[in-house]
Amino acid sequence: MMKFNHQPFEEWLLSGETLAPEETQSLQEHLGVCEACRSLAGAFQQVETALRNAQQLAPAPGFVSRWQARQARQAARQLKQHRRQTLWSMLFSIGGAMAIFTILVVVFLPLLRSPMPILLALTYELVTAVTFTSEIGGALFTVLRTIVELIPPVQWAAILVAFTSLGAVWVVAMHRLTRRRVLA
Amino acid sequence: MQDNESVWLVRAQRGDAEAFSWLVETYQRPVYNLCYRMLNNANDAEDAAQETFLRAYQAINKYDQSRPFPTWLLSIAAHYCIDQMRKRRMTVVSMEEMPYLEISDQAPGPESTLSRKQEQEVVRRLLGTLSPTDRAAVVMYYWYDFSYEEIGNALSLSLSAVKSRLHRARLGMAQDWIDQQPKAGTSERKQHDEIQSPAF
């Protein structure tokens, strides 16, 4: 008994695409001798006809009204849910604030009864910070003045040009990296 | 129609409920038909179609006007129906058990000799052999004339996956058709398959 390799023919039959003339001829020749593919072709044709002839079904009348009613119900439900969430959020916030306030009162109440040591400690910290900042500033100023005296004006100009160029390169690079890419 | 639709879409995206109702009115039939072909039950189809429009209404601001609106809308419907089919095993409902359906008044094809009821039964049986995603692809291809690319976009599939699924679906439906024919044809086909199978 003859054996056929009908894989490409089956694929052509079911592709739903227009075949090249030589493919069509080859398929016709195969269908002439292959009962299985002929049967498949006939069945597929019937299936396609059935699908293409099947009418588009429509919903029962009043679909839009039913949708509007459903949409209104859902909107009302969402509003209710939103209100409930807001209420719970407010309750949690108020509860949390009250809890924090209670903790603060419990912790700091003894200090509030005698505020003098706290005020003295704060004043001391403030004076220390101002003194430290002032000394650091003086040291930096001395270092800068020394550097300025050490480097001649020509070298300063060169440094300025170099930094300006680096800045320009950075700006261009950032612009290229961050600009919106347009797809071809 | 297209310009008119664009106007309604813009209005709907601005939150105009009346404009969206116009879209529901316009697209109720294709959405319902897709849901019905997918779920095979009028009540479920009605529910799915309503849910599709609700989801579309909530996501209308995300709709990109460069895409065709029907593709976007039917994509929502198809995904919802696929989820529904996967969630629960579909129980086959006979045509007699189905609630009232209004069928469009288009004339049947000249070659069609089957009654509408028989046609629906045949289509129901054919689609019933397919997986949810394959069924969605077939419905989009045969009822809405979607291209492979549009089906791919709607179902989040690659072009080759769409072709492969449609091929598998067509083969499955054709074989089911053959199986439904009188016994002689079936046995011939089976005999032939047995003879031919080593050649593949």
Side-chain angles (χ1 to χ4, degrees):
Chain A
M1 209 172 281
M2 280 180 71
K3 286 188 178 179
F4 301 111
N5 181 5
H6 50 202
Q7 184 52 38
F9 306 113
E10 185 183 287
E11 202 167 319
W12 291 347
L13 274 175
L14 303 173
S15 72
E17 291 170 0
T18 311
L19 301 177
E22 58 271 23
E23 288 173 343
T24 308
Q25 191 185 345
S26 180
L27 178 63
Q28 290 304 324
E29 285 169 7
H30 178 77
L31 289 177
V33 293
C34 180
E35 170 62 30
C37 285
R38 208 163 45 241
S39 167
L40 186 69
F44 178 53
Q45 200 176 1
Q46 296 285 337
V47 166
E48 283 218 304
T49 305
L51 292 177
R52 291 196 190 281
N53 284 346
Q55 291 161 346
Q56 209 173 92
L57 304 174
F63 181 86
V64 180
S65 308
R66 291 196 296 282
W67 179 80
Q68 284 168 334
R70 186 166 171 163
Q71 196 273 329
R73 279 199 304 276
Q74 194 183 38
R77 197 165 51 239
Q78 282 177 340
L79 184 65
K80 199 175 168 183
Q81 196 178 1
H82 179 70
R83 280 179 181 164
R84 196 183 300 141
Q85 281 175 348
T86 310
L87 185 67
W88 277 110
S89 304
M90 280 176 65
L91 286 174
F92 271 115
S93 303
I94 292 168
M98 285 177 72
I100 290 168
F101 181 74
T102 308
I103 291 166
L104 289 173
V105 166
V106 169
V107 172
F108 290 104
L109 194 60
L111 294 173
L112 290 173
R113 281 179 184 154
S114 54
M116 207 53 194
I118 300 169
L119 286 174
L120 281 173
L122 283 175
T123 311
Y124 174 75
E125 291 295 333
L126 194 66
V127 168
T128 309
V130 168
T131 311
F132 180 75
T133 312
S134 169
E135 282 177 5
I136 290 288
L140 280 175
F141 181 73
T142 309
V143 169
L144 278 174
R145 202 169 64 183
T146 311
I147 291 170
V148 166
E149 284 169 359
L150 282 174
I151 299 172
V154 179
Q155 285 185 7
W156 274 117
I159 289 168
L160 191 67
V161 169
F163 273 101
T164 310
S165 306
L166 278 174
V169 168
W170 181 79
V171 167
V172 170
M174 288 304 288
H175 177 69
R176 288 196 174 178
L177 283 171
T178 56
R179 76 174 174 182
R180 196 174 175 184
R181 289 169 189 230
V182 180
L183 295 172
Chain B
M1 171 69 184
Q2 282 291 349
D3 291 343
N4 202 14
E5 183 181 286
S6 300
V7 172
W8 287 109
L9 277 167
V10 169
R11 283 180 57 185
Q13 285 187 316
R14 287 177 187 157
D16 185 341
E18 189 196 341
F20 197 86
S21 294
W22 183 88
L23 294 170
V24 176
E25 177 77 44
T26 307
Y27 289 104
Q28 56 176 304
R29 178 172 284 192
V31 170
Y32 175 84
N33 182 62
L34 183 132
C35 295
Y36 183 85
R37 299 300 177 191
M38 292 290 291
L39 300 170
N40 210 13
N41 176 294
N43 286 333
D44 291 344
E46 164 87 14
D47 190 57
Q50 296 264 344
E51 185 62 31
T52 298
F53 282 113
L54 276 180
R55 289 181 178 200
Y57 183 69
Q58 284 167 348
I60 191 72
N61 285 323
K62 291 178 193 164
Y63 165 66
D64 175 8
Q65 289 231 24
S66 62
R67 284 180 67 188
F69 182 70
T71 309
W72 182 74
L73 189 62
L74 292 174
S75 168
I76 296 173
H79 281 295
Y80 179 76
C81 292
I82 290 168
D83 286 346
Q84 291 301 304
M85 289 170 75
R86 285 176 181 162
K87 272 183 196 165
R88 54 191 152 88
R89 286 181 179 281
M90 290 298 294
T91 49
V92 178
V93 181
S94 75
M95 294 300 287
E96 285 72 24
E97 288 173 287
M98 283 184 189
Y100 168 74
L101 280 175
E102 186 188 305
I103 298 173
S104 72
D105 53 4
Q106 292 169 358
E111 292 173 14
S112 174
T113 54
L114 299 170
S115 69
R116 281 179 175 174
K117 202 171 175 181
Q118 283 172 318
E119 273 181 356
Q120 296 299 335
E121 178 59 27
V122 167
V123 170
R124 185 196 64 75
R125 198 196 67 230
L126 288 171
L127 294 177
T129 62
L130 307 176
S131 73
T133 309
D134 290 1
R135 197 183 297 193
V138 166
V139 172
M140 285 177 173
Y141 185 84
Y142 286 102
W143 271 277
Y144 304 105
D145 290 329
F146 274 23
S147 65
Y148 292 152
E149 198 175 359
E150 284 173 321
I151 295 171
N153 286 335
L155 298 176
S156 312
L157 297 171
S158 67
L159 196 63
S160 58
V162 172
K163 285 183 178 178
S164 164
R165 281 180 177 278
L166 278 175
H167 180 272
R168 188 174 61 194
R170 285 164 175 155
L171 184 61
M173 289 188 292
Q175 280 174 341
D176 179 72
W177 188 279
I178 292 167
D179 289 344
Q180 296 299 318
Q181 300 310 302
K183 276 285 177 187
T186 311
S187 59
E188 274 173 26
R189 173 75 188 172
K190 278 181 182 168
Q191 191 183 10
H192 179 91
D193 284 346
E194 281 163 13
I195 294 164
Q196 298 302 324
S197 53
F200 281 101

